[in-house]
Amino acid sequence: MQDALVSKEMAKAASRNGPGKSRWSEFRARFAGWFTAYCGHDLRCLQSLDSFTALMYRPTDGAALGVARALFGLMMLIDIPEERGGGNLDFRWGDPRACRFPLVNGMEPLGYARMGVVYLVMWLGALGITLGYRFRLTCLMFVTSYWYVFVLDKSSWNNHSYLYGLLGTLFLFTDANKFLSFDAYKNRTSSQEVPFWNYFILKYQFFILYFLAGLKKMCPEWLSGYAMSNLSYHWVFLPFRSLLGPQLTDLLIVHWFGCIFDTLVVFFLIYAPTRKTATLFACAFHLMNSRLFHIGMFPWTCLTQLPLYYSVSWPRLVWKKLSFGESIEKFTKHQKPKKQTQQPPGKRRKIVTGAILLYCGLQLFLPYSHFITKGYNNWTNGLYGYSWDMMVHAWDTVLTSIKVTDNNTNQTHYLMPYAFVDNDRWTKHADMAHQFARCIDRNMRQEYAAADRKKMTNFSVHFDIWCSLNGRFLQRIFNPQVDILTAEWSPFKPVDWLLPLLHEFTEMRTKIELMTRDVHTWSNTSDVLFVADFPGLTLDNYIVPEMDNVTLTILEGSATYYHDEHPNPIHLTKGQRLPNIPPEFHHVTTTSSTPSSMVYTFVNKTTQTTSNERESSANKTPILPLGQELGHRLDNYVRFFQHVGNSLLYEIYGVPMPRRVRIAPDETTWTKD
């Protein structure tokens, strides 16, 4: 009788809910089951802030976190003398005339000697992170000194430099010193458990790294194969090149597989049944990157953090398999968690959870925040680093002309592109170009003041820089008629003296490839150069004597050609060509109302010699130059400690600082301040 009454009540409830609600309940139940199977967590933990906070503070074994901390610190110990520039402190911070590109205008380095002390603090902090000794203090030492060096020079920014700073900051707030550390050894009676959010925030950071890098690659620039062209000729792609050929290897393996890998690898790492396969692919991917690109410890850092996606107790399991079961049991006997009654999370824990969610949202927003920071946009959006657009944009800077005019005497000076800098990152960013112009003005004023030329202090600086982005025509990036010193720049306004990318010629990249292949079939020394320019602007080009049979052909628009010895202009329209251009300066002015495009074909007499030298050098270079890399790293470490030691001697005793000075691109000499 009671069963019949229950059945009637269930029937009434079903009739009230209706078939739609029943199907929705069934879908929710299935989704909850799938979520638990995929992520390992109950879906109900996302229903409220209290439940999510309880999940974030769930006691979790800190073993895997401790190993990740130690390996990260070890990677930074190797990185500091390398990509942070510790081995070349004198080159990077020793020249007072060198131009810097700080994030905040007017920010200056402390000086060669004190920068050595800053690097020493950074190195000691990384050592403390590795050993887990006074972890909170040493991690703070590393983070503060690292971010200080980072913001001092935007020209050295890249994705992995930004990643290291984020990881160091995240480790600072975790309890990553509760395992495999001196701190844990000194406090052997304390628990080795950490809140689950310690793992969550680190794994989320790598999710952002991979997933957004994949999303950024879902663009025609990458999927069409223009970003990393000719990469298939590297020896790591030899099996694919033999099977598919160079073009399909570039397109399918480099670009398409790279996009798919970045987008999906983290999802496969989260799901237990596919975790091992994803790890194998990730290892192969990062080892390949370590051979292809000079990107320091980035692939190795990513590899050291992959175990975070495995069991949080995997180090203990590995230790037991190595037949040290009794030792580990004695060491962790006191680590058994105490039974605790379930209580609502406190206010402090909710605040921490809110901060975690805010950080997660900020990391999702920053790569797409370029509509706010418009002053940092150029042909691509934002500064290279926090956008995670890794390898999507390949730049080819062919010509950099820096003209400095004394407005009092109308004297014009042309500076070498690397006169006060050690890289050309500034040539692609208006904010850095603006800072560089002011640095040139400062150096010129000092030089004239030292020569008692006090009246010559009013300068104009003009940049004429020709770049190609992802296989397009060479074109100017800045307006050469604008004095950059007096030009306006704001981080929140578009740069009006930045010339736009000529998208109307983008579709001609296929034609560029076909014409390039055709010209290269003429002979082993034939070559080609594609140029585009804006109406009213003049291209000043110099033909060196090593070039022969130079021919100029107009592809789109019209232009006027003339040279200094014979100023009579020659007007050229679409399809017309001018052969046998003599080896001297000539000028090509775009006369059409729309941008013009043109092509130079020529024979380079030095190409064959250079090609033979490269082949000979390639034959002598080992496929895996591990000995050379190890020797290079050791040399950097020796120089790093020399610089740091000299800095301490100078700060304590006033001993003069020896400093190398570049006297030629490949030569150095020593001097003392």
Side-chain angles (χ1 to χ4, degrees):
M1 187 68 175
Q2 187 176 2
D3 293 341
L5 291 175
V6 172
S7 299
K8 288 181 180 180
E9 291 297 328
M10 291 178 63
K12 289 180 181 179
S15 63
R16 288 195 302 267
N17 294 333
K21 292 186 178 181
S22 177
R23 286 193 294 269
W24 171 245
S25 300
E26 183 180 354
F27 170 77
R28 288 183 60 187
R30 289 183 177 180
F31 180 78
W34 173 86
F35 183 85
T36 302
Y38 182 80
C39 300
H41 304 292
D42 195 327
L43 184 62
R44 288 175 294 182
C45 66
L46 305 178
Q47 290 181 349
S48 65
L49 180 61
D50 286 352
S51 59
F52 185 70
T53 303
L55 171 66
M56 291 293 100
Y57 276 90
R58 187 187 68 190
T60 308
D61 189 356
L65 183 67
V67 174
R69 180 218 78 241
L71 292 177
F72 170 73
L74 179 61
M75 295 301 103
M76 295 302 98
L77 285 175
I78 302 173
D79 176 80
I80 290 171
E82 295 280 335
E83 201 165 3
R84 295 316 110 211
N88 294 312
L89 274 174
D90 48 351
F91 285 162
R92 189 165 183 184
W93 307 107
D95 187 357
R97 301 178 66 204
C99 295
R100 319 290 182 193
F101 304 96
L103 181 62
V104 180
N105 286 332
M107 189 176 181
E108 294 288 343
L110 296 176
Y112 176 25
R114 293 186 179 179
M115 288 303 295
V117 177
V118 170
Y119 272 74
L120 176 61
V121 171
M122 191 193 310
W123 189 87
L124 292 175
L127 180 63
I129 293 174
T130 305
L131 301 178
Y133 178 71
R134 296 184 180 272
F135 172 68
R136 206 72 67 185
L137 173 62
T138 54
C139 193
L140 183 63
M141 290 167 56
F142 172 79
V143 168
T144 52
S145 56
Y146 186 94
W147 282 117
Y148 173 70
V149 173
F150 182 83
V151 301
L152 272 178
D153 188 9
K154 292 176 291 186
S155 68
S156 63
W157 283 17
N158 49 41
N159 295 287
H160 39 287
S161 298
Y162 177 56
L163 176 68
Y164 299 160
L166 293 177
L167 290 178
T169 305
L170 294 178
F171 273 115
L172 173 63
F173 293 100
T174 65
D175 296 323
N177 61 328
K178 289 193 173 183
F179 182 84
L180 197 65
S181 67
F182 278 93
D183 291 346
Y185 180 78
K186 290 191 300 181
N187 301 305
R188 282 173 285 184
T189 58
S190 63
S191 172
Q192 291 188 347
E193 292 179 338
V194 301
F196 174 72
W197 69 261
N198 287 194
Y199 286 94
F200 170 81
I201 196 67
L202 288 168
K203 291 194 285 187
Y204 177 82
Q205 188 61 69
F206 279 94
F207 167 80
I208 291 292
L209 168 69
Y210 289 111
F211 184 63
L212 288 190
L215 292 183
K216 296 283 185 172
K217 288 180 173 65
M218 292 183 182
C219 64
E221 295 296 292
W222 182 268
L223 297 179
S224 298
Y226 290 107
M228 294 282 107
S229 59
N230 298 323
L231 201 61
S232 61
Y233 287 97
H234 196 280
W235 65 265
V236 300
F237 294 110
L238 180 60
F240 301 104
R241 191 171 69 245
S242 302
L243 181 64
L244 301 174
Q247 293 182 354
L248 283 179
T249 300
D250 273 328
L251 181 63
L252 299 180
I253 304 302
V254 176
H255 291 88
W256 279 82
F257 175 77
C259 176
I260 295 171
F261 172 85
D262 281 338
T263 308
L264 300 179
V265 65
V266 178
F267 295 100
F268 288 114
L269 285 171
I270 294 173
Y271 189 44
T274 59
R275 187 171 295 150
K276 292 182 179 179
T277 303
T279 302
L280 290 176
F281 274 101
C283 290
F285 182 80
H286 288 301
L287 290 174
M288 177 189 68
N289 282 340
S290 69
R291 297 296 94 201
L292 287 173
F293 310 108
H294 300 287
I295 49 178
M297 303 310 298
F298 173 64
W300 304 103
T301 302
C302 292
L303 287 176
T304 60
Q305 304 303 305
L306 282 177
L308 285 173
Y309 290 93
Y310 284 79
S311 168
V312 294
S313 300
W314 70 264
R316 304 184 194 278
L317 300 176
V318 171
W319 193 266
K320 287 183 179 180
K321 287 185 178 180
L322 294 176
S323 301
F324 295 100
E326 293 185 4
S327 301
I328 196 68
E329 186 67 26
K330 290 179 181 179
F331 184 72
T332 61
K333 187 174 181 180
H334 60 278
Q335 306 299 336
K336 293 182 180 179
K338 299 179 181 179
K339 292 184 179 180
Q340 297 179 352
T341 57
Q342 188 70 21
Q343 297 180 353
K347 184 177 180 180
R348 181 178 179 276
R349 292 190 173 186
K350 289 183 180 181
I351 293 175
V352 172
T353 303
I356 293 171
L357 293 175
L358 179 63
Y359 178 84
C360 293
L362 184 65
Q363 286 299 306
L364 279 174
F365 171 74
L366 280 178
Y368 299 97
S369 62
H370 311 302
F371 65 94
I372 298 176
T373 55
K374 299 177 182 179
Y376 297 104
N377 298 339
N378 46 57
W379 294 349
T380 61
N381 286 329
L383 292 169
Y384 187 63
Y386 69 95
S387 296
W388 304 117
D389 50 354
M390 291 177 280
M391 306 298 178
V392 176
H393 305 113
W395 294 84
D396 185 14
T397 305
V398 175
L399 175 64
T400 301
S401 175
I402 304 173
K403 185 172 69 173
V404 181
T405 303
D406 190 320
N407 296 325
N408 294 331
T409 63
N410 290 326
Q411 289 183 339
T412 299
H413 309 268
Y414 286 91
L415 293 182
M416 296 293 292
Y418 294 95
F420 306 119
V421 293
D422 58 1
N423 64 70
D424 65 348
R425 184 71 67 83
W426 67 271
T427 61
K428 292 91 172 174
H429 297 273
D431 60 303
M432 296 188 203
H434 196 257
Q435 290 175 320
F436 188 43
R438 294 182 178 277
C439 178
I440 292 173
D441 179 64
R442 180 199 67 193
N443 288 339
M444 295 295 290
R445 289 174 183 272
Q446 292 177 353
E447 182 175 330
Y448 273 57
D452 293 329
R453 301 176 185 175
K454 298 181 179 180
K455 295 181 180 179
M456 301 181 181
T457 57
N458 183 16
F459 297 98
S460 297
V461 178
H462 299 265
F463 295 146
D464 193 12
I465 301 169
W466 292 77
C467 300
S468 172
L469 178 64
N470 289 349
R472 290 178 173 84
F473 284 89
L474 281 171
Q475 67 160 95
R476 308 173 201 261
I477 188 168
F478 303 129
N479 190 338
Q481 300 173 343
V482 173
D483 178 12
I484 308 299
L485 278 176
T486 60
E488 181 184 358
W489 180 85
S490 169
F492 307 111
K493 296 180 181 179
V495 182
D496 55 5
W497 41 274
L498 176 74
L499 296 176
L501 183 64
L502 293 172
H503 288 286
E504 54 265 42
F505 294 144
T506 297
E507 296 180 357
M508 295 182 67
R509 284 188 291 191
T510 303
K511 185 176 182 179
I512 290 175
E513 290 182 349
L514 295 176
M515 291 183 65
T516 301
R517 293 176 196 165
D518 181 56
V519 172
H520 287 168
T521 60
W522 296 354
S523 68
N524 293 332
T525 58
S526 58
D527 210 342
V528 63
L529 186 68
F530 294 88
V531 181
D533 206 0
F534 292 87
L537 296 184
T538 300
L539 165 65
D540 301 319
N541 196 7
Y542 176 68
I543 304 299
V544 297
E546 289 78 12
M547 291 184 179
D548 192 16
N549 195 21
V550 180
T551 301
L552 173 64
T553 304
I554 305 298
L555 301 178
E556 295 289 341
S558 60
T560 297
Y561 167 91
Y562 64 96
H563 56 85
D564 297 334
E565 293 186 4
H566 302 283
N568 295 328
I570 300 175
H571 188 67
L572 301 171
T573 59
K574 180 179 179 180
Q576 291 184 331
R577 64 178 56 190
L578 184 65
N580 300 320
I581 298 178
E584 57 190 9
F585 259 114
H586 68 266
H587 314 277
V588 181
T589 302
T590 299
T591 57
S592 56
S593 59
T594 57
S596 65
S597 62
M598 60 199 78
V599 55
Y600 286 91
T601 58
F602 54 92
V603 173
N604 191 344
K605 300 176 184 178
T606 62
T607 301
Q608 187 65 43
T609 303
T610 305
S611 177
N612 293 336
E613 291 176 354
R614 288 177 180 175
E615 290 179 4
S616 176
S617 176
N619 293 333
K620 295 178 182 178
T621 302
I623 291 179
L624 290 172
L626 299 180
Q628 295 179 6
E629 289 188 12
L630 181 60
H632 175 71
R633 295 187 191 281
L634 289 176
D635 289 342
N636 273 337
Y637 243 97
V638 171
R639 288 200 305 270
F640 171 67
F641 284 120
Q642 287 176 343
H643 293 315
V644 169
N646 291 332
S647 298
L648 292 177
L649 289 174
Y650 178 82
E651 289 296 324
I652 298 174
Y653 301 107
V655 178
M657 293 278 293
R659 179 171 60 89
R660 294 172 297 169
V661 177
R662 285 192 177 99
I663 57 177
D666 298 322
E667 300 178 15
T668 57
T669 186
W670 285 88
T671 186
K672 287 189 177 181
D673 293 343

mmCIF file of all heavy atoms in Angstrom, residues 140-166:
data_model
loop_
_atom_site.group_PDB
_atom_site.id
_atom_site.type_symbol
_atom_site.label_atom_id
_atom_site.label_comp_id
_atom_site.label_asym_id
_atom_site.label_seq_id
_atom_site.Cartn_x
_atom_site.Cartn_y
_atom_site.Cartn_z
ATOM 1 N N LEU A 140 60.968 36.135 -2.581
ATOM 2 C CA LEU A 140 60.724 37.570 -2.710
ATOM 3 C C LEU A 140 61.949 38.271 -3.292
ATOM 4 O O LEU A 140 61.820 39.193 -4.117
ATOM 5 C CB LEU A 140 60.372 38.155 -1.351
ATOM 6 C CG LEU A 140 60.026 39.643 -1.318
ATOM 7 C CD1 LEU A 140 58.777 39.923 -2.144
ATOM 8 C CD2 LEU A 140 59.842 40.120 0.121
ATOM 9 N N MET A 141 63.144 37.843 -2.911
ATOM 10 C CA MET A 141 64.369 38.404 -3.482
ATOM 11 C C MET A 141 64.411 38.178 -4.992
ATOM 12 O O MET A 141 64.732 39.090 -5.758
ATOM 13 C CB MET A 141 65.598 37.763 -2.816
ATOM 14 C CG MET A 141 65.806 38.158 -1.368
ATOM 15 S SD MET A 141 67.021 37.083 -0.526
ATOM 16 C CE MET A 141 68.444 37.272 -1.610
ATOM 17 N N PHE A 142 64.087 36.974 -5.407
ATOM 18 C CA PHE A 142 64.120 36.667 -6.836
ATOM 19 C C PHE A 142 63.068 37.460 -7.603
ATOM 20 O O PHE A 142 63.351 38.059 -8.644
ATOM 21 C CB PHE A 142 63.895 35.171 -7.049
ATOM 22 C CG PHE A 142 63.722 34.786 -8.495
ATOM 23 C CD1 PHE A 142 64.823 34.658 -9.333
ATOM 24 C CD2 PHE A 142 62.459 34.574 -9.031
ATOM 25 C CE1 PHE A 142 64.670 34.323 -10.662
ATOM 26 C CE2 PHE A 142 62.291 34.239 -10.357
ATOM 27 C CZ PHE A 142 63.405 34.115 -11.181
ATOM 28 N N VAL A 143 61.852 37.498 -7.086
ATOM 29 C CA VAL A 143 60.749 38.123 -7.809
ATOM 30 C C VAL A 143 60.975 39.626 -7.968
ATOM 31 O O VAL A 143 60.804 40.181 -9.061
ATOM 32 C CB VAL A 143 59.416 37.838 -7.082
ATOM 33 C CG1 VAL A 143 58.301 38.714 -7.635
ATOM 34 C CG2 VAL A 143 59.047 36.369 -7.217
ATOM 35 N N THR A 144 61.362 40.308 -6.885
ATOM 36 C CA THR A 144 61.530 41.761 -6.970
ATOM 37 C C THR A 144 62.680 42.138 -7.908
ATOM 38 O O THR A 144 62.546 43.052 -8.730
ATOM 39 C CB THR A 144 61.784 42.342 -5.576
ATOM 40 O OG1 THR A 144 62.864 41.625 -4.947
ATOM 41 C CG2 THR A 144 60.542 42.234 -4.715
ATOM 42 N N SER A 145 63.805 41.454 -7.793
ATOM 43 C CA SER A 145 64.936 41.773 -8.674
ATOM 44 C C SER A 145 64.643 41.377 -10.114
ATOM 45 O O SER A 145 65.040 42.081 -11.052
ATOM 46 C CB SER A 145 66.202 41.071 -8.179
ATOM 47 O OG SER A 145 66.001 39.669 -8.073
ATOM 48 N N TYR A 146 63.922 40.275 -10.304
ATOM 49 C CA TYR A 146 63.609 39.832 -11.663
ATOM 50 C C TYR A 146 62.703 40.839 -12.369
ATOM 51 O O TYR A 146 62.966 41.247 -13.507
ATOM 52 C CB TYR A 146 62.932 38.455 -11.626
ATOM 53 C CG TYR A 146 62.704 37.863 -12.997
ATOM 54 C CD1 TYR A 146 63.624 37.000 -13.558
ATOM 55 C CD2 TYR A 146 61.561 38.171 -13.734
ATOM 56 C CE1 TYR A 146 63.436 36.453 -14.820
ATOM 57 C CE2 TYR A 146 61.360 37.646 -14.994
ATOM 58 C CZ TYR A 146 62.297 36.784 -15.527
ATOM 59 O OH TYR A 146 62.092 36.262 -16.792
ATOM 60 N N TRP A 147 61.613 41.249 -11.694
ATOM 61 C CA TRP A 147 60.690 42.193 -12.331
ATOM 62 C C TRP A 147 61.357 43.552 -12.538
ATOM 63 O O TRP A 147 61.046 44.255 -13.511
ATOM 64 C CB TRP A 147 59.429 42.353 -11.495
ATOM 65 C CG TRP A 147 58.457 41.220 -11.628
ATOM 66 C CD1 TRP A 147 58.048 40.368 -10.656
ATOM 67 C CD2 TRP A 147 57.760 40.824 -12.810
ATOM 68 N NE1 TRP A 147 57.147 39.464 -11.149
ATOM 69 C CE2 TRP A 147 56.940 39.718 -12.477
ATOM 70 C CE3 TRP A 147 57.735 41.281 -14.133
ATOM 71 C CZ2 TRP A 147 56.121 39.077 -13.393
ATOM 72 C CZ3 TRP A 147 56.915 40.638 -15.063
ATOM 73 C CH2 TRP A 147 56.125 39.556 -14.690
ATOM 74 N N TYR A 148 62.267 43.928 -11.651
ATOM 75 C CA TYR A 148 62.984 45.196 -11.828
ATOM 76 C C TYR A 148 63.805 45.163 -13.116
ATOM 77 O O TYR A 148 63.755 46.092 -13.937
ATOM 78 C CB TYR A 148 63.876 45.465 -10.624
ATOM 79 C CG TYR A 148 64.770 46.672 -10.797
ATOM 80 C CD1 TYR A 148 64.244 47.956 -10.807
ATOM 81 C CD2 TYR A 148 66.143 46.520 -10.960
ATOM 82 C CE1 TYR A 148 65.058 49.065 -10.975
ATOM 83 C CE2 TYR A 148 66.965 47.623 -11.125
ATOM 84 C CZ TYR A 148 66.417 48.894 -11.136
ATOM 85 O OH TYR A 148 67.222 49.984 -11.317
ATOM 86 N N VAL A 149 64.576 44.091 -13.315
ATOM 87 C CA VAL A 149 65.366 43.964 -14.540
ATOM 88 C C VAL A 149 64.452 43.842 -15.753
ATOM 89 O O VAL A 149 64.732 44.381 -16.832
ATOM 90 C CB VAL A 149 66.308 42.745 -14.439
ATOM 91 C CG1 VAL A 149 67.017 42.480 -15.762
ATOM 92 C CG2 VAL A 149 67.336 42.963 -13.331
ATOM 93 N N PHE A 150 63.330 43.177 -15.570
ATOM 94 C CA PHE A 150 62.395 42.969 -16.672
ATOM 95 C C PHE A 150 61.836 44.289 -17.187
ATOM 96 O O PHE A 150 61.832 44.553 -18.392
ATOM 97 C CB PHE A 150 61.263 42.051 -16.196
ATOM 98 C CG PHE A 150 60.245 41.712 -17.254
ATOM 99 C CD1 PHE A 150 60.481 40.691 -18.154
ATOM 100 C CD2 PHE A 150 59.045 42.402 -17.333
ATOM 101 C CE1 PHE A 150 59.536 40.366 -19.123
ATOM 102 C CE2 PHE A 150 58.102 42.094 -18.295
ATOM 103 C CZ PHE A 150 58.350 41.070 -19.193
ATOM 104 N N VAL A 151 61.359 45.150 -16.312
ATOM 105 C CA VAL A 151 60.721 46.397 -16.746
ATOM 106 C C VAL A 151 61.743 47.443 -17.169
ATOM 107 O O VAL A 151 61.370 48.453 -17.767
ATOM 108 C CB VAL A 151 59.805 46.968 -15.645
ATOM 109 C CG1 VAL A 151 58.720 45.987 -15.277
ATOM 110 C CG2 VAL A 151 60.614 47.357 -14.405
ATOM 111 N N LEU A 152 63.033 47.204 -16.898
ATOM 112 C CA LEU A 152 64.048 48.164 -17.309
ATOM 113 C C LEU A 152 64.262 48.183 -18.816
ATOM 114 O O LEU A 152 64.764 49.169 -19.353
ATOM 115 C CB LEU A 152 65.384 47.850 -16.615
ATOM 116 C CG LEU A 152 65.624 48.472 -15.251
ATOM 117 C CD1 LEU A 152 66.966 48.026 -14.707
ATOM 118 C CD2 LEU A 152 65.540 49.986 -15.296
ATOM 119 N N ASP A 153 63.924 47.102 -19.503
ATOM 120 C CA ASP A 153 64.261 47.022 -20.922
ATOM 121 C C ASP A 153 63.211 46.209 -21.667
ATOM 122 O O ASP A 153 63.212 44.983 -21.630
ATOM 123 C CB ASP A 153 65.643 46.389 -21.097
ATOM 124 C CG ASP A 153 66.129 46.468 -22.534
ATOM 125 O OD1 ASP A 153 65.478 47.149 -23.340
ATOM 126 O OD2 ASP A 153 67.163 45.847 -22.844
ATOM 127 N N LYS A 154 62.298 46.913 -22.349
ATOM 128 C CA LYS A 154 61.259 46.231 -23.125
ATOM 129 C C LYS A 154 61.819 45.504 -24.346
ATOM 130 O O LYS A 154 61.190 44.583 -24.859
ATOM 131 C CB LYS A 154 60.212 47.245 -23.588
ATOM 132 C CG LYS A 154 59.374 47.830 -22.483
ATOM 133 C CD LYS A 154 58.424 48.890 -23.016
ATOM 134 C CE LYS A 154 59.167 50.124 -23.462
ATOM 135 N NZ LYS A 154 58.286 51.237 -23.846
ATOM 136 N N SER A 155 62.992 45.926 -24.818
ATOM 137 C CA SER A 155 63.549 45.313 -26.023
ATOM 138 C C SER A 155 63.991 43.881 -25.791
ATOM 139 O O SER A 155 64.240 43.144 -26.748
ATOM 140 C CB SER A 155 64.734 46.131 -26.542
ATOM 141 O OG SER A 155 65.829 46.065 -25.664
ATOM 142 N N SER A 156 64.101 43.466 -24.526
ATOM 143 C CA SER A 156 64.481 42.085 -24.225
ATOM 144 C C SER A 156 63.285 41.234 -23.845
ATOM 145 O O SER A 156 63.442 40.063 -23.484
ATOM 146 C CB SER A 156 65.503 42.060 -23.078
ATOM 147 O OG SER A 156 64.932 42.575 -21.886
ATOM 148 N N TRP A 157 62.083 41.783 -23.936
ATOM 149 C CA TRP A 157 60.891 41.022 -23.557
ATOM 150 C C TRP A 157 60.621 39.906 -24.545
ATOM 151 O O TRP A 157 60.819 40.032 -25.752
ATOM 152 C CB TRP A 157 59.672 41.937 -23.533
ATOM 153 C CG TRP A 157 59.588 42.811 -22.331
ATOM 154 C CD1 TRP A 157 60.601 43.103 -21.460
ATOM 155 C CD2 TRP A 157 58.447 43.519 -21.868
ATOM 156 N NE1 TRP A 157 60.156 43.957 -20.493
ATOM 157 C CE2 TRP A 157 58.838 44.231 -20.709
ATOM 158 C CE3 TRP A 157 57.141 43.630 -22.307
ATOM 159 C CZ2 TRP A 157 57.958 45.040 -20.003
ATOM 160 C CZ3 TRP A 157 56.268 44.441 -21.605
ATOM 161 C CH2 TRP A 157 56.667 45.135 -20.462
ATOM 162 N N ASN A 158 60.139 38.803 -24.020
ATOM 163 C CA ASN A 158 59.562 37.742 -24.832
ATOM 164 C C ASN A 158 58.593 36.951 -23.964
ATOM 165 O O ASN A 158 58.448 37.219 -22.767
ATOM 166 C CB ASN A 158 60.638 36.837 -25.449
ATOM 167 C CG ASN A 158 61.659 36.382 -24.429
ATOM 168 O OD1 ASN A 158 61.313 36.052 -23.312
ATOM 169 N ND2 ASN A 158 62.925 36.392 -24.811
ATOM 170 N N ASN A 159 57.951 35.970 -24.565
ATOM 171 C CA ASN A 159 56.917 35.241 -23.836
ATOM 172 C C ASN A 159 57.459 34.522 -22.608
ATOM 173 O O ASN A 159 56.827 34.518 -21.549
ATOM 174 C CB ASN A 159 56.250 34.233 -24.776
ATOM 175 C CG ASN A 159 55.500 34.902 -25.898
ATOM 176 O OD1 ASN A 159 54.448 35.478 -25.684
ATOM 177 N ND2 ASN A 159 56.036 34.843 -27.105
ATOM 178 N N HIS A 160 58.616 33.883 -22.761
ATOM 179 C CA HIS A 160 59.097 33.093 -21.641
ATOM 180 C C HIS A 160 59.675 33.962 -20.538
ATOM 181 O O HIS A 160 59.612 33.579 -19.364
ATOM 182 C CB HIS A 160 60.104 32.036 -22.102
ATOM 183 C CG HIS A 160 61.057 32.460 -23.155
ATOM 184 N ND1 HIS A 160 60.689 32.652 -24.462
ATOM 185 C CD2 HIS A 160 62.368 32.714 -23.111
ATOM 186 C CE1 HIS A 160 61.743 33.006 -25.161
ATOM 187 N NE2 HIS A 160 62.773 33.057 -24.377
ATOM 188 N N SER A 161 60.226 35.139 -20.858
ATOM 189 C CA SER A 161 60.665 36.045 -19.794
ATOM 190 C C SER A 161 59.466 36.464 -18.945
ATOM 191 O O SER A 161 59.551 36.530 -17.709
ATOM 192 C CB SER A 161 61.336 37.279 -20.395
ATOM 193 O OG SER A 161 62.484 36.923 -21.124
ATOM 194 N N TYR A 162 58.371 36.752 -19.590
ATOM 195 C CA TYR A 162 57.142 37.108 -18.886
ATOM 196 C C TYR A 162 56.642 35.929 -18.056
ATOM 197 O O TYR A 162 56.202 36.088 -16.906
ATOM 198 C CB TYR A 162 56.100 37.537 -19.914
ATOM 199 C CG TYR A 162 54.738 37.888 -19.379
ATOM 200 C CD1 TYR A 162 54.578 38.865 -18.411
ATOM 201 C CD2 TYR A 162 53.598 37.256 -19.866
ATOM 202 C CE1 TYR A 162 53.323 39.202 -17.935
ATOM 203 C CE2 TYR A 162 52.338 37.584 -19.403
ATOM 204 C CZ TYR A 162 52.208 38.556 -18.430
ATOM 205 O OH TYR A 162 50.966 38.880 -17.958
ATOM 206 N N LEU A 163 56.735 34.709 -18.625
ATOM 207 C CA LEU A 163 56.284 33.514 -17.916
ATOM 208 C C LEU A 163 57.094 33.283 -16.654
ATOM 209 O O LEU A 163 56.531 32.956 -15.599
ATOM 210 C CB LEU A 163 56.384 32.302 -18.842
ATOM 211 C CG LEU A 163 56.047 30.948 -18.212
ATOM 212 C CD1 LEU A 163 54.564 30.873 -17.862
ATOM 213 C CD2 LEU A 163 56.421 29.804 -19.150
ATOM 214 N N TYR A 164 58.410 33.447 -16.717
ATOM 215 C CA TYR A 164 59.241 33.220 -15.536
ATOM 216 C C TYR A 164 58.848 34.166 -14.404
ATOM 217 O O TYR A 164 58.797 33.757 -13.231
ATOM 218 C CB TYR A 164 60.722 33.438 -15.874
ATOM 219 C CG TYR A 164 61.282 32.512 -16.933
ATOM 220 C CD1 TYR A 164 62.447 32.841 -17.623
ATOM 221 C CD2 TYR A 164 60.647 31.318 -17.257
ATOM 222 C CE1 TYR A 164 62.969 32.006 -18.592
ATOM 223 C CE2 TYR A 164 61.156 30.478 -18.231
ATOM 224 C CZ TYR A 164 62.315 30.834 -18.905
ATOM 225 O OH TYR A 164 62.825 30.009 -19.864
ATOM 226 N N GLY A 165 58.597 35.427 -14.745
ATOM 227 C CA GLY A 165 58.183 36.365 -13.716
ATOM 228 C C GLY A 165 56.859 35.981 -13.078
ATOM 229 O O GLY A 165 56.692 36.086 -11.851
ATOM 230 N N LEU A 166 55.921 35.515 -13.897
ATOM 231 C CA LEU A 166 54.629 35.086 -13.361
ATOM 232 C C LEU A 166 54.779 33.862 -12.472
ATOM 233 O O LEU A 166 54.180 33.792 -11.389
ATOM 234 C CB LEU A 166 53.665 34.782 -14.512
ATOM 235 C CG LEU A 166 53.212 35.967 -15.369
ATOM 236 C CD1 LEU A 166 52.326 35.482 -16.505
ATOM 237 C CD2 LEU A 166 52.471 37.005 -14.532
#
